Amino acid sequence: MPSRILVVGSSNTDLVIYCDRLPRPGETVLGGEFQTFGGGKGANQAVAAARAGGNVTFVAARGADDFGKAARDRLAAEGIDLDYFQIAPGVPSGVALILVDGKTRDNLIAVAKSANDALDFTMVSAARPAFARADVVIAQLEIRDEVIEAVAGLCGELGKRWILNPAPTRPLSQPVLAAVHTIVVNEHEAKDYSGVADFDQAVRWFLGQGCKQVVVTLGSEGVIYAGAEGKGRIAAPRVQPVDTTGAGDCFVGWLGVGIADGLSLAEAAEQATRAASLKVTRAGAQAGMPYRAEVTGDG
Ligand code: RIB
């Protein structure tokens, strides 16, 4: 039986330009061909988890426009349960403008949250049956505080393991952090929350807030992890990057499936690191997510 993963989060359409280099404020640079991809941290993590072999339910909001319909079609084609992917009347769907540096493949992203802001406490509470069925719940921060509080409350009440990827960063209350099973942060987020640049100290800060497990992703430098099973570091395979957009989301989706499948934190993080390394070799957030057979070789 595939593990059941519930993802609560954003859905965007990514409008992407691969530029010769990233512009400075006020500067115009030239890029190549414009491309459109499925995006949004929530939807990306849902696709990553589905391709990792999870049975995924997505709780989110979209507009009734063409971008929203295309997003729905893309996620349906991945086999994701969309019973709680609701239409927010009168608001456009979420959009992200993304510039990718043609040399380093780093990106700049600005998100118009639009319909993602329509997802509210009531809509998330209505998904209680899906929370009750889930092995692991995943959320990020392109959605409102009241949604994050609803997720924290339901996971606490139902005893669910909750993976929080607090991106983009904003203040979180201590009770919310204490409800988190596994927090996944990149190096900037680790520093923003903990206030310290040293990763070991940052990890201790998250554990001190009540998070049961901590993973800090370091891009091409791999990840560090810590929890009751111990702590360690995993190196990332060396790859030639094409597009780093969604690499963190790939990691989170795969980590969720690994934990739900019963892997140790080290095993799940190692598998997720391999998946994210494959993602960066491909264009597009959702389009570039690897399939299970590519990562594990077991189909
Ligand atoms: O994490 C990458 C994602 O951030 C993009 O797909 C974009 O939509 C923004 O949400």
Side-chain angles (χ1 to χ4, degrees):
M1 272 276 283
S3 294
R4 290 180 179 275
I5 310 294
L6 178 70
V7 180
V8 183
S10 56
S11 168
N12 296 331
T13 299
D14 289 352
L15 309 180
V16 183
I17 301 175
Y18 295 87
C19 311
D20 297 342
R21 62 175 175 77
L22 297 178
R24 292 184 291 269
E27 187 188 22
T28 300
V29 297
L30 296 177
E33 206 173 298
F34 164 71
Q35 293 191 56
T36 303
F37 294 107
K41 294 182 192 305
N44 296 347
Q45 293 174 13
V47 170
R51 292 190 182 180
N55 180 336
V56 180
T57 297
F58 186 41
V59 180
R62 67 175 176 94
D65 49 14
D66 288 346
F67 281 158
K69 286 182 204 134
R72 190 190 157 83
D73 290 348
R74 265 192 305 268
L75 298 173
E78 300 288 339
I80 295 169
D81 166 21
L82 300 173
D83 284 356
Y84 301 98
F85 188 22
Q86 304 206 33
I87 295 176
V91 243
S93 297
V95 166
L97 301 181
I98 302 183
L99 303 178
V100 179
D101 185 301
K103 290 195 184 65
T104 65
R105 303 295 167 165
D106 288 333
N107 58 39
L108 289 179
I109 304 180
V111 176
K113 291 195 291 170
S114 301
N116 294 307
D117 261 347
L119 187 66
D120 65 12
F121 188 93
T122 309
M123 289 153 89
V124 175
S125 302
R128 186 188 177 93
F131 276 83
R133 285 193 298 271
D135 297 307
V136 159
V137 175
I138 297 175
Q140 338 67 35
L141 296 186
E142 285 180 336
I143 45 181
R144 291 160 63 177
D145 282 342
E146 68 178 63
V147 172
I148 295 301
E149 277 152 25
V151 172
L154 281 165
C155 288
E157 205 181 308
L158 298 167
K160 298 296 170 181
R161 290 172 293 184
W162 176 28
I163 298 179
L164 177 63
N165 172 218
T169 52
R170 65 168 183 261
L172 291 170
S173 70
Q174 200 274 329
V176 164
L177 285 170
V180 174
H181 179 266
T182 306
I183 196 149
V184 182
V185 286
N186 66 24
E187 51 203 299
H188 308 293
E189 293 151 5
K191 189 174 171 198
D192 283 354
Y193 282 106
S194 67
V196 293
D198 178 83
F199 296 132
D200 286 333
Q201 281 182 37
V203 163
R204 279 199 294 278
W205 183 86
F206 284 111
L207 294 172
Q209 296 296 307
C211 302
K212 316 289 172 297
Q213 304 189 134
V214 184
V215 179
V216 183
T217 59
L218 304 170
S220 60
E221 298 304 310
V223 304
I224 57 176
Y225 64 88
E229 298 165 10
K231 60 181 185 173
R233 186 169 191 140
I234 294 163
R238 291 280 156 226
V239 292
Q240 189 63 45
V242 169
D243 182 357
T244 56
T245 313
D249 300 328
C250 179
F251 183 91
V252 172
W254 274 82
L255 187 80
V257 171
I259 289 173
D261 285 351
L263 300 185
S264 68
L265 179 59
E267 291 166 338
E270 196 274 332
Q271 188 170 268
T273 300
R274 268 186 287 131
S277 300
L278 273 174
K279 159 65 209 74
V280 302
T281 64
R282 299 165 185 182
Q286 286 167 34
M289 296 300 177
Y291 290 89
R292 186 169 186 90
E294 299 176 280
V295 177
T296 67
D298 67 8

